[in-house]
Amino acid sequence: MTEETREPVAAGRTLTCRPAAGGEGIAEALARASAGDSVVLSPGVYESMITLVVPSGVTMRGDGEAILRYGADGPAVAVIGSRDVTLTGFTVVCTAERIRRRVLPEDPPLAEPVPEGDTRVSEWGLVWARDASAVRFDRLRIEGRPEHAFLRGLVLLGTRGSRVSDCVVEKFGGSAVSLISSKDVVVESCDLAFSQNGLSLIRSHATIDAPSTAVIRTNRCHNNNGAGIILFSSESADLAENECWEN
């Protein structure tokens, strides 16, 4: 069930979701939302098996302790080709039993275990922005399952001018946060832990000439199996005051 509240025209509408409606209720609200609107998740647990796609100009935010439990093999929340989107103040938890290896969610599965010499990697995550711009990820908690070797936490693919701040991302078989051929991104004040890597910047296999660039400040990257912060043929104009330990 979704409740609609009218606010001043400049502020847009508030579409309020209730836990009993699950992911389908959130999807319905997002389908109705337009630029300037906010889709608000009331406190509680939302069970979902569908990818929630957030359109341009829309804010999706949690009101209190809102938890989205996602049980399918794919992104739980996606921003695809959109701009000026904000995701803030809720938790996303992976409950899927299996995650198949593939580059993009729509691709056919690749061989498992990984054949020798096959360097293809997953370019999507539980929360995913693809070919988007001006996306803000703020105060999110994103939790995976370490046994899913091919699942990343938060992934920005081909995305520009975006910000990841005050997020907690942990327990992923892949990197907690990955920037893949993404430009002018700010990652700051995040806690990235108990994953393969904390933060990784890489190039997409499809756009090998497009490195990632980011400002990386005041993050805490710890207890990861690999690196706290790792840049593969990518750049950071400001890499400062990050704390990395027990990686």
Side-chain angles (χ1 to χ4, degrees), residues 12-187:
R13 300 171 298 168
T14 297
L15 306 174
T16 302
C17 303
R18 306 296 181 191
E24 290 80 3
I26 302 172
E28 174 193 339
L30 290 169
R32 291 169 51 197
S34 55
D37 292 347
S38 293
V39 173
V40 178
L41 311 186
S42 298
V45 176
Y46 296 75
E47 301 289 347
S48 179
M49 295 291 290
I50 57 176
T51 298
L52 303 174
V53 181
V54 187
S56 290
V58 170
T59 293
M60 179 175 166
R61 64 178 171 88
D63 181 10
E65 189 80 4
I67 301 171
L68 178 67
R69 286 168 44 92
Y70 185 69
D73 179 3
V77 182
V79 181
I80 301 175
S82 297
R83 62 175 291 110
D84 295 321
V85 168
T86 298
L87 305 179
T88 183
F90 58 91
T91 296
V92 183
V93 179
C94 173
T95 61
E97 290 299 320
R98 186 185 178 201
I99 300 295
R100 296 167 298 169
R101 175 179 175 249
R102 57 209 194 276
V103 176
L104 298 175
E106 64 270 23
D107 290 345
L110 300 172
E112 299 178 35
V114 181
E116 184 176 354
D118 187 346
T119 60
R120 292 171 293 180
V121 299
S122 298
E123 297 188 357
W124 60 277
L126 189 62
V127 178
W128 189 39
R130 179 182 182 184
D131 299 329
S133 61
V135 183
R136 291 165 292 280
F137 303 90
D138 176 59
R139 296 185 298 109
L140 298 177
R141 185 177 188 93
I142 306 172
E143 297 183 11
R145 298 176 64 174
E147 63 267 28
H148 293 332
F150 309 113
L151 181 61
R152 299 173 185 260
L154 170 60
V155 175
L156 280 65
L157 171 63
T159 292
R160 293 178 174 271
S162 297
R163 179 179 295 269
V164 182
S165 59
D166 295 294
C167 294
V168 176
V169 189
E170 61 181 19
K171 303 177 185 176
F172 284 91
S175 294
V177 173
S178 297
L179 310 183
I180 306 176
S181 291
S182 290
K183 300 280 191 179
D184 304 324
V185 177
V186 175
V187 182

